[in-house]
Amino acid sequence: MSCKKCVEKPVIKLINSNKTLCKNCFIEYFEKKVKKTIADYNLIDKNDHIIVAASGGKDSITTLYLLNKIFSKRKDVKITALAIDEGIHGYRDKSLEHLKKFCKKYKIILNIYSYKKEFGKSLDKILKTYNGVPCSICGVFRRYLLNAKSRELGATKLATGHNLDDETQSIVMNYFRNSLNVSARLGPITGIIPDKKFIRRIKPLYFLTEKEVTIYSFLMKLLDKFNECPYNHDSYRGKIRDMLNDFEAKYPGTKHGIITTFIQLLPILKEHYKKSNYIKECSSCGEPSSQEKCKSCQYIDEVIKPTL
Ligand code: SF4
Ligand code: ZN
């Protein structure tokens, strides 16, 4: 079997269209899809300063590489990178090393903020005394810093490497937890109502699967090597991911079905939750929050401060 568009050896079979593509045709397909997502959902405007939330992993490196490739020649759009160093020995230190080299090679400004400096402890240290699920506390701190620091750095939007698999997991998780209001904030560009303290997130890889991103990053030699967080086990998201992967293997096209349906429902959800999604300011730090005190300040008071 050869590529559907030329006669070269195929590297992938696309699930949603059943087409097989060779290396060059796949790269063209992938990049076209990213540009189409940016254009269709108006992800990037003139005078935008896009900060890419980069970890050094395949999704964020691919996002950073492509946004830089597409926009680096434009004077009216600025692309920079922001990384969070959670302090995970043997994992984040390695991926950040790779990210630093990558940014140096492509002349991209990179800012790094650490849990140790911002919260007083690395994640490794926090988890010595905290017995909850690592991703819960880590995810809250990470989102907090990404928003606060990207705003401080003058970002108009924060680009993330979320792909189709990540989004389908979030949709199903929110459905299972009766959290449709949280799903209303999802989509290729996040948020329901604009808020001056909340930097909207854009997801250029939204319609590309995890497998497609992996193959693209491999073909483009964007990754050093695959590295997995040692705390990424037993999370609720991990169980949903396994379930969806299992279903996709048995019934190919399941994840595309979830996303296509969700995209049709999204405008209705956003309209429905417009009034009730009022964003408050945390009484302690002033960051946007849905509660009186934001989750990050709650963790600082309950988990960090008593052990400092
Ligand atoms: Fe943090 Fe969980 Fe991500 Fe590891 S997998 S970096 S613990 S959110
Ligand atoms: Zn707070």
Side-chain angles (χ1 to χ4, degrees):
M1 203 193 311
S2 62
C3 172
K4 198 84 184 163
K5 294 176 85 179
C6 64
V7 289
E8 295 296 319
K9 195 167 142 257
V11 291
I12 188 169
K13 183 175 180 187
L14 304 177
I15 291 171
N16 51 334
S17 60
N18 234 356
K19 278 183 198 160
T20 47
L21 295 179
C22 70
K23 178 182 170 181
N24 289 340
C25 291
F26 171 70
I27 290 170
E28 192 188 323
Y29 150 87
F30 191 98
E31 296 186 356
K32 260 193 188 163
K33 208 154 181 179
V34 169
K35 287 181 189 164
K36 186 168 169 17
T37 304
I38 294 171
D40 286 355
Y41 293 90
N42 198 22
L43 299 190
I44 298 178
D45 296 310
K46 270 186 179 175
N47 302 320
D48 259 340
H49 174 192
I50 307 293
I51 293 190
V52 180
S55 64
K58 67 176 189 330
D59 302 299
S60 64
I61 284 268
T62 300
T63 307
L64 185 56
Y65 170 76
L66 277 173
L67 292 189
N68 189 56
K69 182 177 175 185
I70 300 167
F71 293 99
S72 63
K73 298 247 163 19
R74 286 219 354 216
K75 296 263 180 290
D76 58 342
V77 176
K78 188 175 168 189
I79 306 289
T80 63
L82 163 61
I84 306 299
D85 181 1
E86 301 92 345
I88 305 171
H89 182 67
Y91 167 64
R92 186 58 79 218
D93 42 0
K94 286 190 181 152
S95 66
L96 286 181
E97 257 339 287
H98 176 61
L99 179 66
K100 283 182 205 164
K101 279 189 209 147
F102 179 89
C103 288
K104 198 171 170 202
K105 180 176 173 190
Y106 290 98
K107 299 185 176 61
I108 299 168
I109 296 169
L110 169 66
N111 288 285
I112 304 178
Y113 297 89
S114 71
Y115 285 5
K116 188 167 189 315
K117 183 131 184 274
E118 303 297 327
F119 303 118
K121 277 185 171 190
S122 66
L123 188 67
D124 283 341
K125 277 253 167 70
I126 294 170
L127 295 177
K128 285 206 160 60
T129 51
Y130 176 70
N131 294 323
V133 178
C135 291
S136 304
I137 188 165
C138 182
V140 165
F141 282 163
R142 188 179 160 73
R143 282 191 293 276
Y144 176 92
L145 284 184
L146 284 176
N147 189 61
K149 297 301 175 189
S150 59
R151 197 181 62 241
E152 267 176 48
L153 293 165
T156 49
K157 289 176 192 127
L158 180 69
T160 67
H162 284 93
N163 59 44
L164 187 142
D165 288 56
D166 300 320
E167 191 80 349
T168 51
Q169 289 155 20
S170 299
I171 294 164
V172 173
M173 275 166 71
N174 292 333
Y175 200 83
F176 281 11
R177 290 169 158 172
N178 188 23
S179 302
L180 262 187
N181 58 326
V182 180
S183 276
R185 293 187 220 134
L186 298 175
I189 179 158
T190 63
I192 300 177
I193 38 173
D195 180 275
K196 63 179 186 324
K197 282 202 158 180
F198 185 73
I199 306 298
R200 294 186 89 182
R201 288 159 190 225
I202 57 168
K203 303 169 189 167
L205 307 183
Y206 195 87
F207 293 101
L208 290 150
T209 64
E210 174 110 37
K211 186 177 166 192
E212 288 169 338
V213 179
T214 306
I215 293 176
Y216 181 85
S217 62
F218 174 75
L219 292 175
M220 300 302 287
K221 300 187 172 50
L222 300 177
L223 269 196
D224 208 10
K225 58 179 176 213
F226 185 71
N227 208 352
E228 202 176 352
C229 175
Y231 303 123
N232 186 15
H233 54 81
D234 222 26
S235 67
Y236 190 72
R237 178 177 285 273
K239 291 199 168 54
I240 297 281
R241 180 191 58 216
D242 294 346
M243 180 193 76
L244 285 171
N245 284 345
D246 185 42
F247 227 79
E248 181 73 39
K250 286 182 190 135
Y251 309 102
T254 297
K255 293 176 193 171
H256 281 92
I258 293 172
I259 282 288
T260 309
T261 309
F262 181 70
I263 281 291
Q264 291 175 57
L265 286 173
L266 197 53
I268 304 167
L269 286 179
K270 287 200 187 288
E271 189 56 39
H272 181 76
Y273 286 103
K274 224 178 193 169
K275 287 197 185 90
S276 55
N277 240 282
Y278 179 70
I279 304 171
K280 300 182 202 126
E281 283 186 6
C282 167
S283 57
S284 181
C285 70
E287 282 300 305
S289 169
S290 55
Q291 303 165 45
E292 172 68 18
K293 196 188 251 190
C294 77
K295 202 77 187 121
S296 188
C297 285
Q298 289 178 34
Y299 276 132
I300 290 169
D301 289 348
E302 290 160 22
V303 180
I304 308 274
K305 281 185 183 163
T307 56
L308 275 178

